[in-house]
Amino acid sequence: MITIAQRLATVHDRINTALIACGRPPGSVQLLAVSKGQPLAALRAALATGQRAFGESYLQEALMKQAELKDSPLHWHFIGPVQSNKTADIAAHFDWVHSIDRLKIAQRLSAQRPAHLADLNVCIQLNISAEPSKSGVTPEDLPSLVHRLSELPRLRLRGLMAIPAPTPVVHAQRRAFRAVRDCLESFQHQGYALDTLSMGMSEDLEAAIAEGATLIRVGTAIFGPR
Ligand SMILES: *Cc1c(COP(=O)(O)O)cnc(C)c1O
């Protein structure tokens, strides 16, 4: 029986090994524990090891967990598809949203962010593998969304998120992650103050780190199967 603490230690080892392998400084990747579909006890076990950032995809499930864990100093990241009728709750209950894929959603989050909270950190989800079924903006539509979104008052645009098509082939993983990084860098060169590449999951976090990920979203490798 492997515990969540042991799984988390293994994930931290993988992160450190990947950082060393590409000459990046220790601590330059943030680990988001993706706890969607996991019971409260699993979050508590991760919390007990010092994990503070949790990612959730389903609003109602997340709100229940947040209510139970309200006395802990946690950072909540929304990583699932955002429907218009959910934006008020998401704006009120999360620190980050990774999955912005259209202006209307961003405008609603900005308008609905409660005044007493800091600006909402957001990433635009990029559909890098151009799969019609996947959410995310295409590289062609990205520049105008970056421009419009960065003018919204209560949002702080931090960078890009991507979920490339899964493949076991490491150079294919790296090619997709590199394309996301190239996009981010092109906006940085245009003067946008972006600092976040949200990419890499349980199966491909090494490739993502090699290509510059600053935040990896890991579920199964920490909590086991959902
Ligand atoms: C579920 C999910 C993850 C975690 O995936 P694992 O393969 O379990 O690590 C990461 N990002 C998003 C957007 C997810 O929905």
Side-chain angles (χ1 to χ4, degrees), residues 8 19 56 72 75 100 131 139 153 166 177 196 201 204 206-207 214:
L8 257 170
L19 285 171
E56 292 281 341
S72 305
H75 308 291
I100 307 267
E131 294 166 279
F177 290 134
T196 300
M201 317 199 300
D204 55 13
E206 285 85 358
T214 63

Side-chain angles (χ1 to χ4, degrees), residues 58-213:
Y58 310 106
L59 179 63
Q60 294 313 320
E61 178 189 339
L63 293 180
M64 278 167 48
K65 291 172 177 172
Q66 291 175 352
E68 294 287 341
L69 298 171
K70 66 177 182 317
D71 296 329
S72 305
L74 301 183
H75 308 291
W76 293 98
H77 295 232
F78 194 84
I79 62 173
V82 183
Q83 295 155 342
S84 306
N85 63 346
K86 304 282 168 62
T87 52
D89 273 332
I90 292 172
H93 294 282
F94 286 83
D95 304 294
W96 283 72
V97 178
H98 291 237
S99 39
I100 307 267
D101 62 357
R102 54 196 197 276
L103 183 63
K104 181 186 165 196
I105 293 295
Q107 287 169 329
R108 291 176 64 93
L109 290 169
S110 175
Q112 294 168 329
R113 181 69 168 170
H116 69 280
L117 295 178
D119 290 352
L120 181 63
N121 296 294
V122 300
C123 291
I124 295 174
Q125 183 173 351
L126 180 60
N127 182 353
I128 201 67
S129 311
E131 294 166 279
S133 58
K134 275 263 182 67
S135 37
V137 294
T138 61
E140 299 75 57
D141 292 336
L142 185 60
S144 68
L145 186 56
V146 167
H147 175 69
R148 301 287 301 275
L149 209 158
S150 58
E151 295 183 325
L152 292 174
R154 299 303 325 277
L155 303 187
R156 181 161 170 223
L157 179 60
R158 299 294 296 266
L160 300 176
M161 184 274 248
I163 314 171
T167 165
V169 183
V170 172
H171 73 80
Q173 294 173 356
R174 288 194 55 165
R175 190 181 330 117
F177 290 134
R178 195 175 314 132
V180 183
R181 185 187 67 194
D182 287 346
C183 276
L184 187 87
E185 286 178 351
S186 81
F187 292 110
Q188 288 169 331
H189 291 148
Q190 292 168 49
Y192 292 100
L194 306 179
D195 62 6
T196 300
L197 271 177
S198 168
M199 58 188 197
M201 317 199 300
S202 295
E203 298 291 330
D204 55 13
L205 66 89
E206 285 85 358
I209 289 171
E211 295 299 342

Side-chain angles (χ1 to χ4, degrees), residues 34 36 57 79 161 163 201-202 217-220 226:
V34 175
K36 66 174 184 221
S57 302
I79 62 173
M161 184 274 248
I163 314 171
M201 317 199 300
S202 295
R217 308 176 313 271
V218 180
T220 311
R226 288 180 283 275

